[in-house]
Amino acid sequence: MRQEREWSGAWVAERLGVELREADRPEDGDGPGLEAGEPAAGDAAAGTGGAAGAGDRGGAAGVTGTAGPAGAGTLRGLLGLALRRNPRRAHLLVSQVLGKHVPQRPDVVHEAGLGLGRRVRRLLGEEAAARAVVLGYAETATGLGHSVADGLAPAAYLHSTRRPVPGLAPVGGFEEEHSHASSHLLLPEDPDLLGGDGPLVLVDDEFSTGRTVLNTVRALHERFPRDRYVIVALVDLRTDEHRDALRKAAADLGARVDLVALASGTVRLPEDVLERGQALVARYEAGAVAGAGGGAPSGAGSTPAAVRRVELGWPHGLPDGGRHGFVPAHRARLEAALPAMADRIAEALTADGAVAVAPVPEPVAAVPGPASVPGPAAPVPGPASVPEHAAGRPGRAEPGAPGRVLVLGCEELMYAPLRLAQALQRTLGERTEVRYSTTTRSPVLAVDDPGYAIRTRIAFPAHDAPADGPGERYAYNVAPGADPARRFDAVVTVVDSAADTAELHAPGGLLSELARHTDRVLLAVVPSHVPRPRTGRTEGAAGPGPETTPDTDPAAKAAPVSAEAGPGTVPPPNGPAPAALPGPLRGPDFSSYRPDEVGWLLQDLSAVPLEAPVEEREEAVQRGGAHYAESLPVEYQPSEDYQRLFRTALDTSAARIARAVGTVTETLLAERAGRGTGRPVLVSLARAGTPVGVLMRRWALHAHGLDLPHYAVSIVRGRGIDTTALRWLAEHHDPADAVFVDGWTGKGAITRELAAAIKDFTRTTGVTGFDPEIAVLADPGGCVRTYGTREDFLIPSACLNSTVSGLVSRTVLRADLVGPDDFHGAKFYRELAGSDVSGHFLDAVSARFGEVAERAAADAAELLSDTGRAPTWEGWAAVERISEQYGIHDVNLVKPGVGETTRVLLRRVPWRVLARRGAGADLDHIRLLAEQRGVPVEEVGELPYSCVGLIHPRYTRGATGADGKAVISA
């Protein structure tokens, strides 16, 4: 007869004869101390009797949001059962509330740890609690341990890890018996974190035999002896034998050991449980149950969801979790940043007509026992608590917000996704149901039955370059299976930058598998934190102490924390770790572009006075006293006539530009299909390339549903590309995916500059994969292979400066502002918002995509079949000829093409303009600018460009050039 169908352990209990037995709890809910091995009265939360224990850990077990009074948790309320795909062990205890295998409300998950932490604080007393350090176990208890530290505040937190860091020796390690991945490393940035005399609080999801905890305590006590330990678990499943072993170990160490747990009891197993479990797994693995795995795509259609990246704005230098230590100062920074990060996710979820809001049942209070733990599709309990940062912030769910959202973490990365999910729930409001879970290494059988804890399984390759080699990873209960009510409208995948690899984005990878089961997938990447080199301190020391942060510690500013190596990076042998790299700047904080349109790999110099009159800049540059990238010209303010000309040019050329955008994007996608992950990363050369990069990204989304990452980087003639930006790209993407984008070519100087810079970057860093070829909208100079057209026509974005480029200035490279590990700089001209036409330009061109799609596809096909599209460098030859003919003798002062000529008239001291006879309306704005600046326009016959701008050669403020030849200044 079926046992309590609603319990998610009933299926296994029936077939294997597994039985959970509850034990009595002491009235105060806290565990008494086991002082030096002596049993104290009333063994805390420790059941008595029972047969076999559940093993050392047993995988994921649960956390509750109702910690505190007696009877607040039961084994069945916290645990379900599933079958392991493991020849050594049959069953898995599956937490309903930990947020590992079963998606759960984030408030429930976080409040459970907070409640346990508060109980520990009461147990220890305020003085001892203030000196405590919390240690969590990877992978399932990293978030639980961090939440316990929150409740015990102001405790520092560290969790074990299975991810080694090159050049960083562990301060300790231990083995986890019976686990499929056993070795744990302790890698604190500050090795003194574990060296104090305060209590050590060890947190795991379940306490079964106690062997893992004993291994830890013995290993740490030998190096960092102390007189008190507290063990915190969700469930205590020890037998009397295991309790005696812990008492004896405490006596041998001369230390007191306390235990705090939410529920206790034992697991009774039949003798043949392993054989019966293996038989069941073999049967169901053979496909006896439909929908056990990831299954067919869910939802009305079969088209996979688009995957979009959302930039969180993670605070610079803030650790991604407790792998290397997380101290109270870090906690304060995270709390302050959570609302803004949640807002960015919410904006991405509600953009572009997301799924309609689904009604959610009225909140209900959590009740002790099984009913208090909502299952994957159960009614949602009311919030257990409201964090300080969210107090008073009303939810703002609007029509267009998804009804059910899953925030999915990644293996050890549990706490950051949990807190983001919690903040997202506050932001979206109660009409959106937010759930939280994480991926895992644990191989478990999936059976789509309400009485079974793991109903669906999504399998995918590991994507974080694990130290133990490649392997399969899993996301459980994410696919809806046979129950459409369990379907998520959106999944927000949160990984650290070390896991943002080619494997993550590849076909069959996590993102593509998730896209089969939801309407949209967002990717949010948290920068991986790697400790600074341990130099200048005592042996084994590293980094700032527990109360310092990279923002407050002077040493941290001199040697920022390194971002963890990702795809394409090669750490220098025996050299210092590279400096930490901040994330890209995004609108509206920097630029008027939407935050998803482009990330600027620049530093904001808006507060720095950099502008100088054009004439002064030109004289300084030509005299060799300055480089053009060390200052900015005064931003050109277009007259009404000029703005009218821009609008007319845009109206007449929008379709022509749209066709060129489609041609170059289609060509690029075809060319890059076999490189890297097959998913290009657009890297526009700021700033002329940036509007084109945004348009190419829009085309890929419009025509193919591809949400391509897009970043803007700086390149400076004579100085090369921003190598710090290249390092950032290599750490976050496969370099083979990077495609450099520019607006147009002139004579090809930047094309050559980029090729030389990439070659030098590869030689000095060992990072390979970057392709120096540039994709451009227009290539009149014959300098590249990938282009939209080779005609030299007016691209309206060339008509203006920042007001058509997101209100961002030219890039700046000056030694006193840009250090060796800094991004190049730029300014955001917020004060020009009233004149900004950046969005208007993009929207006008994008609106013509539909009408030009067929012609653009045909153009791209013709281009791809053309074996003669190699660069001709025709433009370079023409520039050399003009330089000699006009007595300039410096090709850098000859600017060919409509775009470059426009720049000369807007930014430099122009000498004259050469216009091809009959060029027509494409040069109307050139003639107007030339008239305003008193520059002669000379019509010439044979010219491969529509026009050429000549910068005043050998400029001084007294030079006139009246004879038509260069004026040579002394």
Side-chain angles (χ1 to χ4, degrees):
M1 179 176 179
R2 169 61 63 108
Q3 306 177 28
E4 301 181 28
R5 178 77 182 194
E6 66 276 9
W7 179 45
S8 64
W11 193 95
V12 172
E14 284 182 358
R15 288 160 176 79
L16 293 190
V18 177
E19 183 180 354
L20 297 187
R21 291 190 169 186
E22 302 283 345
D24 294 333
R25 293 168 49 93
E27 289 186 3
D28 64 3
D30 285 329
L34 305 177
E35 181 137 9
E38 274 202 42
D43 199 358
T48 59
D56 195 353
R57 290 184 66 212
V63 179
T64 183
T66 57
T74 67
L75 292 185
R76 288 198 175 195
L78 294 171
L79 302 175
L81 295 173
L83 296 177
R84 293 177 178 269
R85 294 161 58 219
N86 185 325
R88 295 180 296 173
R89 301 182 66 190
H91 72 291
L92 175 70
L93 300 174
V94 181
S95 170
Q96 296 298 304
V97 290
L98 181 63
K100 174 54 73 172
H101 299 77
V102 179
Q104 183 52 275
R105 286 290 298 269
D107 272 341
V108 173
V109 178
H110 190 224
E111 176 62 23
L114 286 174
L116 285 166
R118 294 184 192 113
R119 289 172 58 188
V120 173
R121 188 172 62 208
R122 291 197 301 270
L123 173 69
L124 294 175
E126 294 298 324
E127 189 277 331
R131 295 182 292 113
V133 176
V134 179
L135 175 62
Y137 286 89
E139 74 179 41
T140 54
T142 60
L144 172 63
H146 210 142
S147 299
V148 169
D150 287 349
L152 187 58
Y157 177 63
L158 177 72
H159 71 69
S160 66
T161 182
R162 296 188 177 100
R163 183 191 289 176
V165 176
L168 182 65
V171 301
F174 50 90
E175 292 296 314
E176 180 183 353
E177 300 177 33
H178 302 299
S179 174
H180 56 278
S182 59
S183 294
H184 290 247
L185 300 173
L186 297 179
L187 299 173
E189 180 166 20
D190 179 4
D192 296 336
L193 190 69
L194 296 172
D197 60 357
L200 181 63
V201 181
L202 301 104
V203 182
D204 208 352
D205 48 356
E206 68 181 64
F207 194 40
S208 299
T209 67
R211 284 193 287 267
T212 296
V213 170
L214 283 178
N215 288 341
T216 311
V217 170
R218 289 185 179 119
L220 292 178
H221 197 80
E222 183 175 346
R223 182 167 183 182
F224 306 108
R226 64 190 73 231
D227 58 13
R228 191 163 190 184
Y229 297 87
V230 180
I231 299 165
V232 179
L234 300 169
V235 291
D236 175 15
L237 301 171
R238 294 172 300 153
T239 64
D240 288 337
E241 178 185 356
H242 297 139
R243 288 194 187 87
D244 291 341
L246 183 59
R247 291 188 180 98
K248 181 179 184 305
D252 292 343
L253 295 173
R256 171 173 174 149
V257 180
D258 293 284
L259 175 66
V260 176
L262 293 179
S264 62
T266 54
V267 181
R268 185 176 293 276
L269 305 174
E271 291 185 359
D272 62 346
V273 65
L274 186 58
E275 292 77 11
R276 290 164 67 179
Q278 289 175 340
L280 273 173
V281 169
R283 174 186 170 192
Y284 281 86
E285 287 270 300
V289 176
S298 58
S302 58
T303 302
V307 178
R308 298 190 177 186
R309 184 181 295 265
V310 56
E311 292 294 339
L312 291 173
W314 187 265
H316 176 48
L318 179 66
D320 52 294
R323 180 180 289 115
H324 305 299
F326 200 94
V327 299
H330 295 144
R331 185 173 294 112
R333 294 184 67 207
L334 177 61
E335 294 294 336
L338 279 171
M341 292 192 286
D343 286 347
R344 291 185 180 96
I345 297 173
E347 287 170 6
L349 286 171
T350 57
D352 302 329
V355 203
V357 174
V360 176
E362 289 297 317
V364 296
V367 180
S372 70
V373 180
V380 179
S385 68
V386 179
E388 290 180 9
H389 80 266
R393 294 185 74 239
R396 57 174 189 80
E398 303 167 351
R404 295 190 83 226
V405 176
L406 174 68
V407 177
L408 183 69
C410 174
E411 297 190 40
E412 293 180 10
L413 187 70
M414 296 188 69
Y415 182 75
L418 168 62
R419 299 307 310 281
L420 288 169
Q422 198 175 29
L424 182 63
Q425 181 70 82
R426 303 284 186 270
T427 299
L428 291 176
E430 62 184 25
R431 285 179 58 80
T432 295
E433 178 189 348
V434 176
R435 294 272 174 150
Y436 155 78
S437 64
T438 57
T439 64
T440 178
R441 290 169 166 244
S442 302
V444 185
L445 176 71
V447 178
D448 199 0
D449 185 288
Y452 188 83
I454 302 293
R455 296 184 62 175
T456 63
R457 177 181 74 231
I458 294 175
F460 53 93
H463 54 88
D464 61 346
D468 55 353
E472 201 168 50
R473 301 293 186 262
Y474 311 95
Y476 294 116
N477 292 314
V478 175
D483 184 359
R486 293 161 48 86
R487 187 176 188 273
F488 290 104
D489 300 310
V491 177
V492 181
T493 308
V494 183
V495 303
D496 63 1
S497 55
D500 184 19
T501 61
E503 290 79 9
L504 176 68
H505 298 272
L510 173 59
L511 296 180
S512 70
E513 290 301 300
L514 290 172
R516 300 169 63 231
H517 301 287
T518 187
D519 296 321
R520 60 175 51 199
V521 177
L522 297 184
L523 174 63
V525 179
V526 178
S528 300
H529 181 82
V530 172
R532 295 188 303 277
R534 294 178 180 173
T535 58
R537 297 189 59 183
T538 57
E539 183 181 356
E547 296 303 323
T548 61
T549 73
D551 283 348
T552 60
D553 180 31
K557 297 189 180 213
V561 178
S562 161
E564 187 151 344
T569 58
V570 179
N574 304 318
L581 305 180
L585 301 174
R586 299 264 176 185
D589 297 329
F590 186 87
S591 91
S592 61
Y593 290 133
R594 295 200 319 254
D596 61 316
E597 301 264 45
V598 59
W600 302 83
L601 296 179
L602 298 170
Q603 60 171 309
D604 187 354
L605 300 179
S606 299
V608 181
L610 292 167
E611 289 78 10
V614 170
E615 291 79 7
E616 290 182 15
R617 293 181 72 250
E618 193 66 49
E619 183 172 9
V621 168
Q622 292 201 29
R623 283 184 176 274
H627 189 277
Y628 76 90
E630 294 176 347
S631 62
L632 293 173
V634 175
E635 190 72 10
Y636 171 70
Q637 301 296 307
S639 65
E640 180 55 39
D641 287 344
Y642 190 81
Q643 293 183 59
R644 189 181 307 111
L645 189 151
F646 166 81
R647 291 190 291 270
T648 301
L650 180 57
D651 290 342
T652 58
S653 64
R656 190 178 184 185
I657 297 169
R659 181 175 175 180
V661 169
T663 300
V664 69
T665 309
E666 294 294 337
T667 304
L668 172 68
L669 292 174
E671 288 176 332
R672 293 300 179 113
R675 300 191 202 176
T677 67
R679 178 176 176 266
V681 175
L682 303 177
V683 182
S684 61
L685 303 180
R687 72 187 162 181
T690 304
V692 177
V694 173
L695 287 169
M696 291 174 66
R697 180 182 179 275
R698 287 191 178 189
W699 182 280
L701 194 61
H702 165 84
H704 303 283
L706 294 175
D707 186 13
L708 301 182
H710 175 213
Y711 305 99
V713 303
S714 169
I715 187 169
V716 176
R717 179 176 52 79
R719 304 284 179 89
I721 197 166
D722 185 343
T723 56
T724 303
L726 291 184
R727 280 173 42 210
W728 191 95
L729 289 166
E731 289 176 358
H732 292 78
H733 299 280
D734 186 339
D737 288 336
V739 179
F740 295 101
V741 174
D742 208 354
W744 55 84
T745 63
K747 55 184 173 287
I750 291 299
T751 306
R752 297 186 181 202
E753 187 82 43
L754 180 62
I758 294 297
K759 182 178 180 180
D760 186 61
F761 178 77
T762 300
R763 178 183 58 80
T764 57
T765 66
V767 177
T768 61
F770 284 112
D771 186 340
E773 289 196 7
I774 305 178
V776 299
L777 195 62
D779 179 36
C783 305
V784 299
R785 298 180 69 257
T786 307
Y787 50 85
T789 179
R790 275 188 168 159
E791 296 179 25
D792 184 23
F793 69 97
L794 172 61
I795 300 172
S797 61
C799 290
L800 300 170
N801 280 335
S802 68
T803 53
V804 77
S805 305
L807 299 181
V808 174
S809 74
R810 271 191 51 260
T811 60
V812 173
L813 178 60
R814 205 170 80 190
D816 62 324
L817 298 173
V818 179
D821 294 316
D822 294 333
F823 293 136
H824 293 187
K827 300 185 77 165
F828 175 29
Y829 291 117
R830 298 169 178 83
E831 64 275 16
L832 300 182
S835 303
D836 187 25
V837 292
S838 306
H840 174 61
F841 169 71
L842 296 173
D843 293 342
V845 176
S846 301
R848 313 300 286 271
F849 283 172
E851 69 185 70
V852 303
E854 290 187 9
R855 284 176 289 169
D859 290 345
E862 182 179 353
L863 191 61
L864 289 164
S865 64
D866 184 4
T867 58
R869 64 187 177 105
T872 64
W873 299 101
E874 178 185 5
W876 189 274
V879 165
E880 289 181 324
R881 185 173 65 252
I882 292 169
S883 176
E884 294 303 312
Q885 180 181 348
Y886 284 83
I888 298 173
H889 309 299
D890 184 351
V891 293
N892 291 321
L893 301 181
V894 180
K895 303 294 183 178
V898 178
E900 292 301 303
T901 302
T902 303
R903 287 179 170 184
V904 169
L905 291 165
L906 292 177
R907 299 186 198 164
R908 307 293 293 269
V909 175
W911 181 35
R912 63 185 56 227
V913 172
L914 309 182
R916 187 173 60 201
R917 193 170 290 111
D922 277 343
L923 299 188
D924 283 351
H925 78 292
I926 294 289
R927 296 186 181 95
L928 179 59
L929 283 176
E931 180 182 351
Q932 291 176 346
R933 299 206 59 182
V935 177
V937 177
E938 177 182 332
E939 291 201 349
V940 296
E942 294 184 6
L943 198 64
Y945 302 94
S946 296
C947 59
V948 175
L950 305 183
I951 296 173
H952 210 305
R954 306 296 185 191
Y955 175 76
T956 68
R957 274 166 279 189
T960 62
D963 61 356
K965 296 293 183 182
V967 176
I968 308 299
S969 62

